[in-house]
Amino acid sequence: MASIISHSPQETFELGRQFAAGLKRGAVLALAGDLGAGKTQFSKGLAAGLGVEAEVTSPTFTLIHEYPGGRLSLFHIDLYRLEDEDEVLGIGLDEYLDGDGVTVIEWADKFAELMPKGASWIRFRVLEGEEREISW
């Protein structure tokens, strides 16, 4: 398991941008970490690294944002507000897991049993100030 310390939101963004370079069609990234730990900032970097030009925002209330137009499409899912597996399956999660882009899922640890075996887990931990430990 690799781990780095990000000292700012911009560093977290840049890590996401760099991470995107190695992603292939069908990749699933399962993000875990507390509120404000950097999951969305990392996702914004992923989008930039994939060539997505749209503004990336947290899908906390809409649950899913789709960003086509880059090297690969990005499907950004947030499970924070969902309470049970039926709700998760009801939003069509399985369709995105077999999608032809990259699927990034915030709060994936709430429903770890629904994540595919090949998902890449990325964990975010709040340290002091703007510092975050990011492990994968």
Side-chain angles (χ1 to χ4, degrees):
M1 178 180 285
S3 180
I4 69 150
I5 303 297
S6 169
H7 298 92
S8 69
Q10 185 59 34
E11 283 187 20
T12 301
F13 178 94
E14 287 302 323
L15 177 64
R17 181 194 295 272
Q18 293 167 12
F19 208 89
L23 295 177
K24 294 182 168 70
R25 185 176 314 279
V28 176
L29 304 180
L31 309 187
D34 291 335
L35 282 171
K39 298 179 297 294
T40 299
Q41 193 67 15
F42 180 85
S43 298
K44 289 178 179 187
L46 278 174
L50 291 172
V52 171
E53 294 183 11
E55 180 182 350
V56 174
T57 59
S58 174
T60 298
F61 294 102
T62 57
L63 304 178
I64 301 171
H65 288 167
E66 296 183 10
Y67 300 101
R71 175 176 69 83
L72 296 168
S73 294
L74 178 67
F75 307 110
H76 189 190
I77 301 172
D78 190 316
L79 303 179
Y80 179 72
R81 294 180 45 236
L82 301 182
E83 297 296 326
D84 59 48
E85 288 185 14
D86 288 338
E87 286 182 308
V88 176
L89 296 173
I91 66 169
L93 177 67
D94 53 338
E95 295 172 28
Y96 289 97
L97 298 180
D98 294 329
D100 63 349
V102 171
T103 302
V104 60
I105 305 168
E106 297 192 30
W107 298 96
D109 50 324
K110 284 187 68 175
F111 299 98
E113 63 282 355
L114 296 179
M115 297 303 115
K117 290 186 187 343
S120 297
W121 283 88
I122 305 172
R123 302 188 186 281
F124 296 77
R125 190 167 66 95
V126 176
L127 302 176
E128 292 192 26
E130 293 186 336
E131 290 186 336
R132 305 293 186 259
E133 180 182 34
I134 305 169
S135 308
W136 64 95

